[in-house]
Amino acid sequence: MPHDFMPGLAGVPAARSAVSDVDGQRGVLEYRGIRIEDLSARSTFLETASLLLFGRLPAKLELERFTSDIALHRRIKYRIIDLLKCLPEQGHPMDALQAAVAALGMFYPGRNVQDIDNNYWSAVRLIAKLPTIVAAYARLRRGDDHIPPRDDLNFCENFLYMLTDSVPQKVWSHTLDVCLILHAEHTMNASTFTGMVTGSTLADPYTVVASSIGALKGPLHGGANEAVVHMLREIGTPAQVRPYLKKKLQAKERIMGFGHRVYKVKDPRATILQGLCDRLFRECGASPLYEVALEVERVAAELLRGKGVYPNVDFYSGIIYDKMGIEVEFFTPIFAIARVAGWLAHWFEQLQENKLFRPDQIYEGEHDRPYVPIEKR
Ligand code: ACO
């Protein structure tokens, strides 16, 4: 059957899914039918993760059980810590996370992905342990000891505690929680698709998530949040924004944190993050990066008018993490801590009706060429 070739599979459905939906023309994002604005204002990351994984908002007892299961699985084996200690100090934390998640699977070798109970515990372990791995690598690579998780702290309090060795103020843990909700899921993006290709071979969930982490790292996907902060630092002041952007666009370069395959209006997550920035910087002091970012958005709207290119989720998230004192290289791992919920929700869904991904290609090479012996080439 002949098909049109769609570079980047743009607009080509790769699955049927009830996990989330984006209306790119209206700028609407829903997880399981619930608008992202409602979830970010009223839910928590773990409640949202449960919604994504199991299809509905959990009842009180269900949420208590899920939260407690996560809290009890935050610890990581000392061999994983040893593995992290062996990695180069200058290594990218996404590579460390990918290696550690792949290794994690070796400790929990249940290979039967049709075992629903086993799959639940794999999901719990992955959501619970990713923050511990990220925080451990952040500390170990600068020569500090790994800080074990504390069961009395909630998900985000505990992550920031393991990272900084102090229990954060509510404003920081709450802000991070909202960021995690906003990053938890986003339909058929590159990292989700990557995980689904791996999942379609019936590989174990640790391998699925390790694959997705690899795809998320790239600067055209999750890695853009790092690039945004580098760009804002390079620009320096609001006055420098216009000449910087003009030069960049003349050179046909991309403005990082702008543009999206699906959204043709401003990404609703960027709007929510901007509101979060406004509140946070009012309460906790201004951010020079934010002042530059606002000017970038204003000038870019003028220079890119008519192209449907607006800020995406990566534009404002890094500014928040920077204000929290988190190193730039850890922004994308934080994205992964959130997105693992979405990856696993798609994996659960996929297992109900799996078909091995095996797309086609349009062959443009030659046929029937003679093999020429090496001495005659
Ligand atoms: N800066 C300047 N121009 C842009 C940008 C940008 N960030 N994004 C798109 N455009 C322009 C393109 O130059 C193109 O213009 P043209 O028609 O005159 O050639 C037009 O908009 C369409 O661009 P495409 O490349 O066809 O759009 P695509 O859907 O393939 O790209 C992508 C989406 C890859 C995200 C792109 O917008 C980009 O590179 N953005 C910067 C990186 C980034 O922020 N990535 C994070 C995305 S969100 C996420 O993954 C979590």
Side-chain angles (χ1 to χ4, degrees), residues 183 186 189 216 218-222 224-225 228 249 252-262 264 267 269 304 307-309 312-314 335 339:
H183 286 83
H186 206 247
N189 54 83
L216 186 68
L220 294 188
H221 191 13
N225 59 13
V228 169
L249 293 175
K252 302 246 171 278
E253 287 176 27
R254 300 276 159 119
I255 305 174
M256 298 317 276
F258 272 70
H260 199 277
R261 176 63 59 77
V262 184
K264 297 306 159 210
D267 183 333
R269 300 167 298 174
L304 292 169
K307 284 207 174 177
V309 174
N312 59 49
V313 69
D314 286 325
F335 193 154
R339 185 55 63 84

Side-chain angles (χ1 to χ4, degrees), residues 83-103:
L83 180 142
L84 293 173
K85 280 183 189 163
C86 292
L87 298 175
E89 286 151 18
Q90 303 308 323
H92 196 286
M94 283 297 274
D95 294 332
L97 183 62
Q98 189 181 34
V101 167

Side-chain angles (χ1 to χ4, degrees), residues 48 62 65 108 114 119 122 127 136 148-149 177 182 203 212 236 331-332 334:
T48 297
E62 288 170 328
R65 182 189 157 205
Y108 309 102
Q114 302 306 338
N119 291 349
S122 299
I127 294 171
D177 202 63
L182 295 175
S212 294
F331 297 175
T332 320
I334 293 176

